[in-house]
Amino acid sequence: MKFPGSVLASVFLFVAETTAALYLSSTYRSGGDGMWQALTLLFSLLPCTLVQLTLLFVHRDFSRDRPLVLLLHLLQLGPLFRCFEVFCIYCQSSHIEEPYVSITKKRQIPKNGLSEEIEKEVGQAEGKLFTHRSAFSRASVIQAFLGSAPQLTLQLYITALQQDISAGRSLCMFLSLLSIVYGALRCNILAIKIKYDEYDIKVKPLAYVCIFLWRSFEIATRVIVLVLFTSVLKAWVVLVVLINFFSFFLYPWILFWCSGSPFPENIEKALSRVGTTIVLCFLTLLYAGINMFCWSAVQLKINNPDLISKSQNWYRLLVYYMLRFIENALLLLMWYLYKTDIYMYVCAPLLILKLLIGYCTAILFMLVFYQFFHPCKKLFSSSVSESFQRWLKCICCPCRWHKSSESVGKADLRSPGDRDETPSSSKFISVPSQILSANELCSA
């Protein structure tokens, strides 16, 4: 049975970040910074509450008679209790022989074009551990993007304004960044497991390293860009945040309304129509929060029973990173034009160059992951390199066709004396040869 290391990592980040945020808020209180104290507590306690509700919802404890569990979650001790329960199940599983097991069938990743179906016995203990891992993975994503991301942005903004950083704030910022990167990593793994649910998936250590580097560069540069822009144009940042948020929040609903599909009723049997609407709104809120800081790796699809689109769309990925790179560049340009005296000793052009290179480095690690380390890359209809080549051909072919047409037009505009010197047969052969070469270029 697999060691529940992901549960331990989620609980460690939850406890460490909450403790660091509470300590930091106490230092703000002693320093007389009431507003910073209130915002720090808000971005710490709000994700704690959402994590408790997520664990209760996944384990369906609202409809079960477990008053002690509900009390522990009310006291914000639910993750610690769940972690203790997980390790009790894990330790007892090797000593107790289970009388009942279930058989699951999974397909192997194709090798040499062949895919075999394998059967695996799953006991009750392993099934419970799977539920716990799934619950903590979702809780980590919620904590990362609805708590840690705004917390990191806030603390970095305070550091930029005060031009000073304390040990408590640096620790809180480090834990917040680590929590966001871990949440993004879990989001990638969740997306892979949902899209390829019928396959037996094994993620290699190098894939984890590549995802970690990809997400670290992407999130760090994004947060720094937002903080720099906020420090000089506080009013305009509200407009930027609202446009980003509502674009991603409304996009799944617009696709759902355009599809004409009926309202989904199979999310949870115990939920009413109002409850289902609340859950869907929360999912789109989380989806928008993720895409504010990084690529979500999944496409939310409300009219799908799984709520996730299982198709791999490289063009949507390409458009997202192109637009995000342009947005970051524009925000940095606005910061450069309106920077204040607090950045007097900062080499602005060098900082902008470093941030743009950092974001390009994140894109490079993403391409390396999808090209070489994705556990299901053999199932892709086309690889990243092939899709990129097709995209370049779609852009370059019209340009080459336009150039060939111009050359044909210049040939037709020659002087009448030059035309008379040319044999009549070459007049009819020259034009098709130009067209043929353009077509060959497009089909190459």
Side-chain angles (χ1 to χ4, degrees):
M1 190 178 292
K2 187 179 178 181
F3 181 76
S6 60
V7 175
L8 193 63
S10 299
V11 174
F12 169 75
L13 288 173
F14 173 81
V15 174
E17 187 181 5
T18 304
T19 304
L22 292 177
Y23 168 76
L24 188 59
S25 65
S26 66
T27 60
Y28 287 142
R29 181 181 180 182
S30 60
D33 297 323
M35 184 177 67
W36 300 142
Q37 179 198 6
L39 290 174
T40 303
L41 286 176
L42 174 66
F43 295 141
S44 174
L45 298 180
L46 178 62
C48 286
T49 305
L50 295 176
V51 165
Q52 311 299 326
L53 292 175
T54 301
L55 294 175
L56 288 171
F57 180 79
V58 173
H59 291 282
R60 300 179 180 179
D61 286 327
F62 289 109
S63 57
R64 298 164 63 184
D65 188 15
R66 301 184 69 183
L68 178 60
V69 174
L70 294 176
L71 177 62
L72 290 172
H73 278 286
L74 187 63
L75 297 174
Q76 305 297 314
L77 298 175
L80 294 174
F81 172 76
R82 299 288 185 185
C83 183
F84 174 76
E85 191 176 16
V86 165
F87 279 93
C88 286
I89 296 172
Y90 177 75
C91 294
Q92 293 175 1
S93 61
S94 58
H95 303 290
I96 301 175
E97 184 178 353
E98 298 187 15
Y100 301 103
V101 295
S102 58
I103 306 296
T104 60
K105 293 183 179 181
K106 294 282 186 179
R107 296 173 62 186
Q108 289 184 330
I109 302 297
K111 295 180 180 179
N112 300 323
L114 300 176
S115 178
E116 296 181 357
E117 192 174 61
I118 57 175
E119 293 184 353
K120 183 180 178 181
E121 293 184 354
V122 179
Q124 293 182 353
E126 192 169 354
K128 290 179 180 178
L129 285 180
F130 177 80
T131 304
H132 279 289
R133 288 195 190 97
S134 177
F136 274 101
S137 296
R138 287 158 173 78
S140 296
V141 175
I142 291 171
Q143 177 190 352
F145 293 100
L146 297 184
S148 302
Q151 185 75 271
L152 176 61
T153 308
L154 172 68
Q155 302 307 325
L156 191 59
Y157 175 73
I158 297 172
T159 303
L161 289 184
Q162 297 181 354
Q163 295 184 318
D164 180 50
I165 183 169
S166 61
R169 191 186 301 148
S170 61
L171 178 62
C172 183
M173 290 167 59
F174 172 74
L175 291 173
S176 296
L177 179 60
L178 195 62
S179 175
I180 304 168
V181 173
Y182 180 74
L185 187 147
R186 298 310 310 174
C187 194
N188 274 96
I189 302 302
L190 280 172
I192 293 171
K193 291 183 177 180
I194 291 173
K195 287 182 179 179
Y196 306 99
D197 183 52
E198 67 272 16
Y199 288 92
D200 184 28
I201 299 172
K202 295 180 181 178
V203 184
K204 297 180 180 180
L206 283 176
Y208 283 109
V209 174
C210 200
I211 295 174
F212 185 85
L213 293 173
W214 159 26
R215 295 306 196 174
S216 298
F217 280 101
E218 180 181 10
I219 293 166
T221 52
R222 176 63 176 169
V223 171
I224 293 173
V225 168
L226 288 176
V227 168
L228 290 175
F229 182 76
T230 306
S231 62
V232 295
L233 295 170
K234 298 179 180 63
W236 285 97
V237 75
V238 178
L239 181 62
V240 173
V241 170
L242 289 178
I243 291 175
N244 273 272
F245 176 78
F246 283 108
S247 297
F248 291 108
F249 182 82
L250 296 176
Y251 180 68
W253 290 103
I254 293 173
L255 291 180
F256 170 67
W257 289 324
C258 293
S259 66
S261 302
F263 190 80
E265 302 284 353
N266 55 349
I267 296 178
E268 182 66 36
K269 294 181 180 179
L271 291 177
S272 62
R273 194 179 183 88
V274 176
T276 302
T277 306
I278 294 174
V279 170
L280 290 176
C281 289
F282 178 74
L283 285 176
T284 48
L285 172 68
L286 179 61
Y287 178 74
I290 296 172
N291 282 285
M292 279 276 295
F293 293 92
C294 65
W295 171 248
S296 63
V298 295
Q299 173 60 46
L300 193 62
K301 197 173 183 180
I302 298 176
N303 58 345
N304 191 305
D306 296 327
L307 299 178
I308 298 294
S309 176
K310 295 187 177 183
S311 61
Q312 188 70 42
N313 195 322
W314 300 118
Y315 298 104
R316 186 181 293 120
L317 181 70
L318 178 65
V319 169
Y320 175 86
Y321 276 102
M322 285 180 61
L323 292 179
R324 187 63 78 201
F325 182 83
I326 294 171
E327 182 195 7
N328 287 341
L330 290 176
L331 293 181
L332 288 173
L333 178 62
M334 297 299 293
W335 168 76
Y336 179 75
L337 295 176
Y338 293 96
K339 65 181 185 297
T340 56
D341 293 338
I342 63 174
Y343 300 107
M344 183 184 302
Y345 301 104
V346 176
C347 182
L350 182 60
L351 179 59
I352 293 174
L353 182 62
K354 286 181 178 179
L355 290 173
L356 294 180
I357 291 176
Y359 200 77
C360 292
T361 306
I363 296 174
L364 176 62
F365 278 114
M366 178 200 67
L367 295 176
V368 170
F369 167 71
Y370 278 109
Q371 182 69 27
F372 300 106
F373 299 114
H374 196 286
C376 303
K377 63 179 182 294
K378 294 182 180 179
L379 300 174
F380 293 164
S381 58
S382 61
S383 64
V384 177
S385 58
E386 292 173 351
S387 300
F388 186 68
Q389 289 174 4
R390 283 203 299 266
W391 179 72
L392 285 178
K393 288 177 182 178
C394 291
I395 294 178
C396 295
C397 283
C399 297
R400 292 175 179 175
W401 175 267
H402 182 67
K403 290 180 180 179
S404 64
S405 301
E406 287 181 351
S407 62
V408 172
K410 290 179 180 178
D412 290 340
L413 292 174
R414 290 181 303 172
S415 62
D418 294 337
R419 291 185 185 178
D420 293 339
E421 294 174 0
T422 306
S424 59
S425 60
S426 64
K427 295 180 184 178
F428 296 99
I429 295 173
S430 61
V431 175
S433 65
Q434 294 288 342
I435 298 174
L436 179 62
S437 62
N439 289 331
E440 287 176 350
L441 286 172
C442 290
S443 60

